[in-house]
């Protein structure tokens, strides 16, 4: 756990904080951040050890609790989200788990957007319900549904915007108001946008969670996650769970990902620019029925997306003319796109949500969400966008 107290960059812009915040140079004078691969730390004396353990003396004890490399990552991300404090976790899912375990208790109720990341829904429905938590799902873009789902025991609202896979955009400020009017917390999963494109805490959210496995790593190498928020909820409650339960971020992964933060600004700009170009091109192709991308004027929440996000990121969903056969044939005609459900990589990816990420849902659930058999989701990487268009055109022209 690390407080955002690197005052040196508090007046700087995000891209500067992404490169500079959190670094503490050792006596070796190294330019790049070192990796502290150590599980424990030594004390000068028995009395020092006792003082460290009792909390009287600040400092490292054990890497499950704190580690200098992990701390640099946490402080840098906290500075970028403009949160008081950040706790890094082993994966994105353990960030969401730590958030629920740290902030909720048996008997509490959570309202969540219906179109969350698939494993988040499984964690909520199959695991956390065993411990006395209950969940209600709503159409995340419909404020009336959020309001109507609130119960006397609602303690948390959980939102992902833009959503997966259809890129629905929800009004963070308005959902935060509903949460606060009802003494609940708003947690936003900001994995898709990263702080470069959207800063939920500045819009009123209480806590932000990340899967840093995606854009923050950016090259599909390591797993990681983070929770960002204030000192009470994140620094005490979430960290309290993490230091005892143990899904902490490894120092090596923290190092890869803190270097990832240094290039995040330019990467997110490039992903967004290429994706917008691709989305506009897809809209003109006769084999494409509909494109879902928040920066297109045809998107139902285009205006909201324009003022809530700096740009729309790398993920596009689109319907092809026909059904599953046509969708699969577009996938199988690609040579460049990787056929994988992952996203946020320098390598572009293509997936058929109805038979992969959303395959465990019933046909009715999928139809209600709009995850139809002719839907494809692509994550635009950093290859040349003309090559990517050619790669999709091959399959689309055949429909
Ligand atoms: C991938 C992802 C997660 C889970 O993260 P892991 O690092 O895979 O555990 C959570 N939320 C969103 C939006 C994701 O894309």
């Amino acid at each position: 756990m690390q407080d955002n107290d690197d005052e040196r960059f508090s007046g700087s812009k995000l891209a500067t904080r992404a490169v500079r915040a959190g670094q503490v140079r050792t006596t070796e004078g190294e330019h790049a951040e070192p990796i502290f691969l150590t599980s424990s730390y030594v004390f000068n004396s028995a009395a020092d050890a006792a003082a460290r353990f009792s909390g009287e003396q600040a400092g490292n004890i054990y890497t499950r609790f704190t580690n200098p490399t992990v701390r640099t990552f946490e402080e840098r991300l906290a500075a970028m989200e403009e949160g008081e404090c950040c706790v890094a976790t082993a994966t994105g899912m353990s960030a969401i788990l730590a958030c629920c375990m740290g902030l909720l208790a048996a008997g509490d109720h959570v309202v969540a957007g219906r179109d969350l990341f698939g494993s988040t829904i499984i964690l909520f429905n199959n695991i956390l319900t065993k411990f006395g938590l209950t969940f209600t799902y709503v159409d995340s873009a419909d404020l009336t549904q959020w309001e109507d789902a609130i119960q006397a025991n609602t303690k948390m609202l959980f939102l992902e915007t833009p959503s997966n896979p259809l890129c629905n955009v929800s009004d963070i400020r308005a959902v935060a108001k509903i949460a606060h009017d009802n003494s609940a917390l708003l947690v936003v999963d900001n994995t898709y946008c990263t702080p470069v494109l959207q800063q939920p805490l500045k819009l009123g959210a209480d806590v932000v969670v990340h899967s840093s496995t995606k854009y923050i790593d950016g090259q599909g190498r390591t797993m990681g996650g983070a929770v960002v928020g204030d000192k009470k909820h994140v620094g005490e409650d979430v960290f309290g769970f993490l230091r005892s339960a143990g899904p902490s971020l490894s120092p090596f992964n923290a190092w890869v990902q803190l270097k990832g933060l240094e290039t995040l600004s330019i990467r997110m700009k490039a992903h967004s620019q290429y994706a917008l170009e691709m989305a506009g091109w897809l809209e003109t192709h006769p084999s494409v029925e509909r494109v879902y991308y928040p920066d297109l004027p045809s998107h139902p929440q285009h205006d909201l997306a324009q003022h809530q996000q700096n740009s729309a990121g790398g993920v596009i969903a689109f319907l092809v003319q026909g059904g599953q056969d046509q969708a699969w044939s577009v996938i199988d005609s690609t040579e460049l796109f990787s056929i994988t459900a992952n996203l946020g990589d320098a390598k572009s990816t293509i997936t058929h949500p109805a038979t992969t990420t959303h395959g465990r849902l019933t046909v009715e659930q999928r139809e209600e969400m709009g995850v139809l058999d002719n839907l494809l989701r692509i994550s635009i990487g950093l290859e040349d966008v003309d090559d990517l268009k050619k790669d999709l055109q091959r399959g689309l022209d055949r429909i």
Side-chain angles (χ1 to χ4, degrees):
M1 183 270 297
Q2 178 56 37
D3 290 345
N4 178 12
D5 52 10
D6 195 340
E7 298 291 340
R8 293 171 297 170
F9 306 107
S10 55
S12 316
K13 297 243 182 348
L14 182 134
T16 306
R17 280 181 256 139
V19 176
R20 295 283 179 175
Q23 183 174 10
V24 182
R25 208 157 274 146
T26 74
T27 51
E28 299 293 344
E30 72 282 353
H31 191 198
E33 301 76 357
I35 312 178
F36 285 90
L37 284 178
T38 179
S39 49
S40 66
Y41 304 85
V42 294
F43 313 105
N44 288 328
S45 64
D48 268 1
R52 210 58 82 76
F53 272 80
S54 72
E56 246 169 77
Q57 188 189 92
N60 298 312
I61 298 175
Y62 193 48
T63 280
R64 171 148 47 77
F65 313 156
T66 58
N67 174 280
T69 310
V70 175
R71 199 182 302 133
T72 301
F73 171 74
E74 291 172 332
E75 178 142 1
R76 195 164 283 186
L77 186 56
M80 293 171 72
E81 287 285 7
E82 299 190 32
E84 278 177 18
C85 169
C86 173
V87 172
T89 58
T91 62
M93 288 320 302
S94 54
I96 296 171
L97 175 68
C99 223
C100 293
M101 298 303 266
L103 301 174
L104 299 170
D108 288 347
H109 173 249
V110 177
V111 183
R114 185 197 290 140
D115 33 16
L116 297 181
F117 183 68
S119 297
T120 307
I121 296 190
I122 292 169
L123 171 71
F124 287 176
N125 289 352
N126 299 5
I127 315 277
L128 294 179
T129 49
K130 291 198 292 186
F131 299 92
L133 296 176
T134 52
F135 297 86
T136 302
Y137 296 94
V138 297
D139 174 343
S140 59
D142 183 343
L143 293 174
T144 316
Q145 288 196 22
W146 285 99
E147 196 118 39
D148 290 348
I150 302 279
Q151 302 174 7
N153 58 340
T154 303
K155 292 287 160 57
M156 181 188 285
L157 276 55
F158 192 99
L159 170 67
E160 221 179 285
T161 178
S163 71
N164 177 18
L166 288 173
C167 304
N168 286 317
V169 178
S170 315
D171 189 337
I172 296 175
R173 209 184 282 279
V175 179
K177 180 164 190 314
I178 295 171
H180 300 154
D181 286 348
N182 293 282
S183 310
L185 297 171
L186 174 63
V187 178
V188 175
D189 183 333
N190 202 27
T191 298
Y192 265 44
C193 279
T194 82
V196 173
L197 302 188
Q198 170 174 285
Q199 291 166 300
L201 299 176
K202 283 168 75 177
L203 299 169
D206 302 284
V207 176
V208 162
V209 294
H210 278 284
S211 166
S212 47
T213 311
K214 311 290 169 50
Y215 287 107
I216 291 179
D217 176 296
Q219 295 176 56
R221 298 159 294 186
T222 55
M223 306 285 303
V227 186
V228 190
D230 65 28
K231 288 184 181 169
K232 166 76 180 77
H233 294 110
V234 175
E236 292 176 25
D237 300 340
V238 174
F239 179 62
F241 168 78
L242 197 88
R243 61 174 279 155
S244 297
S248 10
L249 183 62
S250 97
F252 180 77
N253 290 3
W255 180 81
V256 171
Q257 297 189 357
L258 74 88
K259 300 312 278 179
L261 289 176
E262 294 184 4
T263 55
L264 190 63
S265 286
I266 52 168
R267 286 190 287 112
M268 292 313 291
K269 281 178 198 144
H271 286 299
S272 301
Q273 183 197 322
Y274 299 170
L276 178 60
E277 192 177 330
M278 175 64 92
W281 175 79
L282 283 170
E283 251 186 351
T284 65
H285 197 287
S287 302
V288 174
E289 198 178 293
R290 178 162 179 196
V291 180
Y292 302 88
Y293 187 66
D295 260 357
L296 289 179
S298 59
H299 189 280
Q301 294 105 28
H302 177 65
D303 287 344
L304 174 61
Q306 292 276 297
H307 67 253
Q308 183 164 280
Q309 303 173 210
N310 293 326
S311 56
V315 179
I316 305 170
F318 62 99
L319 298 171
V320 296
Q321 304 284 357
Q324 179 176 317
D325 288 349
Q326 286 69 25
W328 277 22
S329 79
V330 172
I331 294 181
D332 291 335
S333 305
T334 59
E335 290 167 7
L336 204 51
F337 276 86
S338 310
I339 306 174
T340 169
N342 200 22
L343 61 91
D345 198 300
K347 296 181 168 64
S348 296
T349 67
I350 186 164
T351 189
H352 182 243
T355 51
T356 59
T357 52
H358 293 69
R360 288 213 237 172
L361 302 179
T362 64
V363 178
E364 292 73 39
Q365 282 172 320
R366 280 203 296 272
E367 274 177 6
E368 199 189 4
M369 289 175 66
V371 180
L372 306 177
D373 288 344
N374 56 337
L375 183 78
L376 289 171
R377 189 197 75 186
I378 53 179
S379 162
I380 300 299
L382 299 174
E383 303 96 334
D384 189 283
V385 69
D386 289 333
D387 290 335
L388 293 174
K389 284 184 201 164
K390 254 186 246 161
D391 205 39
L392 289 180
Q393 181 159 16
R394 205 174 305 113
L396 289 171
D397 283 352
R398 265 189 230 139
I399 292 177

